[in-house]
Amino acid sequence: MSRLAWMRLFVSNTDADTAHLSNEELGAYMRLVFHYWKWKSLPTSNKKLASIARVAPSEWLEIKASLQPFFDAEWRSERLESEIIVTGK
């Protein structure tokens, strides 16, 4: 398990960046962020991503397009990587 017990969260920035998301999409996004923070990666499998986001696989396929822009094609995040480096973990 990762030693990253806490993370910086810039509420104004996060709110502005995610204002276009529905509540369900925002919840799924935050779950992905938390998993990324804890394990320093996300899987690429839709089934696993749906599980992490705590949505049904069919629901995942509906919201995936809204969440993909926050990550690259391999579900990596430059922003989260830079935050992990800043915290020194």
Side-chain angles (χ1 to χ4, degrees):
M1 179 186 264
S2 171
R3 294 183 311 240
L4 298 175
W6 62 272
M7 69 181 287
R8 297 189 315 174
L9 176 65
F10 296 96
V11 175
S12 294
N13 294 350
T14 302
D15 189 49
D17 292 346
T18 61
H20 65 286
L21 299 178
S22 69
N23 284 335
E24 181 179 35
E25 291 167 337
L26 176 59
Y29 170 70
M30 294 307 296
R31 294 278 179 198
L32 295 175
V33 167
F34 297 159
H35 184 279
Y36 198 108
W37 189 257
K38 185 175 181 180
W39 301 104
K40 299 183 184 176
S41 68
L42 287 171
T44 57
S45 156
N46 282 323
K47 183 177 179 181
K48 290 179 181 177
L49 288 166
S51 177
I52 292 165
R54 297 187 188 173
V55 297
S58 59
E59 236 172 309
W60 171 252
L61 295 177
E62 291 178 20
I63 66 172
K64 179 181 176 181
S66 297
L67 303 179
Q68 182 68 64
F70 294 101
F71 304 91
D72 69 14
E74 297 297 315
W75 290 90
R76 288 185 301 263
S77 167
E78 274 188 46
R79 182 186 66 78
L80 288 170
E81 290 294 330
S82 67
E83 285 296 322
I84 288 168
I85 291 168
V86 166
T87 61
K89 304 293 179 180

